[in-house]
Amino acid sequence: MKKEMKHAQVNTLEKVALGHCYLLCINFMKGSLELIDNRFLDNKISFVHKYKNHPRNLLRAFATFYATYHSTKNKDMFEEICNFKTKTLKMKWMSNDNYDDCGIYLLKHKETYHGEKDIEWENELQLNNVDQMKKLRVEYCGKIMSHKENKEHHSMQIKARKWEKE
């Protein structure tokens, strides 16, 4: 992350606004770029207006990386990946009613999606379930705070044990 921040000439994340989060999955088995978003496209908004050219740019950057480092047929592999079709997955829990939890949906999608057809994809996400989102926020926050790579991991464990005793 530090290398990428240096390359982008970003010194701090304090004023970085993330905006809406969604998952892009490059599926080599299907030859597709799968866009997984908890929000669906409103009839008034086009795909390009909502996502700009970000999915294609990511695919092109990945194709460059992959062809450079992992293929003996660099040019052919680059072109093949760049020609992957973008597919927006349709899930039964998609809703435009929740503007706050796209990061939680992103984590759950990343955790549970394994390339299956969208109609066959099962996870416990439910449409507009506020209590479920609260529980997932707590679960993911706990995982992030207690992860060994978190510099505050040790102090968080001490505080958690103290709070548990209280």
Side-chain angles (χ1 to χ4, degrees):
M1 184 70 163
K2 287 179 184 177
K3 181 180 173 185
E4 292 302 319
M5 287 175 62
K6 183 177 180 181
H7 177 72
Q9 298 177 337
V10 174
N11 299 323
T12 180
L13 293 177
E14 287 180 23
K15 295 181 182 178
V16 174
L18 291 178
H20 181 62
C21 303
Y22 52 89
L23 181 64
L24 293 169
C25 178
I26 301 169
N27 190 325
F28 279 87
M29 300 297 284
K30 297 178 185 175
S32 63
L33 174 64
E34 297 169 339
L35 192 144
I36 304 170
D37 189 349
N38 65 292
R39 303 191 70 217
F40 52 84
L41 273 177
D42 189 309
N43 290 339
K44 300 171 191 165
I45 299 174
S46 70
F47 182 91
V48 173
H49 180 76
K50 182 174 182 180
Y51 300 108
K52 313 246 182 301
N53 207 28
H54 299 313
R56 288 279 114 196
N57 289 342
L58 175 96
L59 187 63
R60 189 171 182 83
F62 180 79
T64 301
F65 166 79
Y66 192 86
T68 301
Y69 296 102
H70 296 288
S71 177
T72 55
K73 306 176 201 171
N74 291 346
K75 179 95 170 111
D76 292 340
M77 185 55 76
F78 175 83
E79 292 298 327
E80 183 179 338
I81 295 171
C82 283
N83 288 324
F84 282 5
K85 300 292 180 210
T86 302
K87 179 183 183 217
T88 303
L89 271 62
K90 308 284 186 251
M91 295 94 56
K92 54 190 167 194
W93 54 88
M94 291 175 82
S95 171
N96 284 349
D97 293 336
N98 185 330
Y99 289 88
D100 301 317
D101 292 314
C102 60
I104 300 301
Y105 281 103
L106 170 76
L107 291 170
K108 189 53 121 174
H109 292 159
K110 189 175 175 214
E111 184 178 62
T112 60
Y113 184 65
H114 303 289
E116 58 270 42
K117 291 180 181 177
D118 43 8
I119 58 171
E120 295 172 1
W121 181 13
E122 290 293 328
N123 65 36
E124 69 267 11
L125 288 173
Q126 299 167 2
L127 182 64
N128 298 326
N129 187 326
V130 176
D131 289 334
Q132 182 182 45
M133 285 296 111
K134 287 178 183 177
K135 288 177 186 173
L136 286 171
R137 275 189 226 123
V138 170
E139 178 185 328
Y140 287 128
C141 184
K143 286 180 180 180
I144 291 167
M145 295 305 293
S146 64
H147 194 276
K148 64 182 179 182
E149 294 298 321
N150 184 342
K151 291 180 181 177
E152 299 298 321
H153 163 77
H154 184 67
S155 66
M156 288 298 116
Q157 282 186 324
I158 292 169
K159 287 178 183 178
R161 288 186 187 112
K162 181 181 173 186
W163 292 333
E164 183 181 44
K165 290 177 185 177
E166 292 174 1

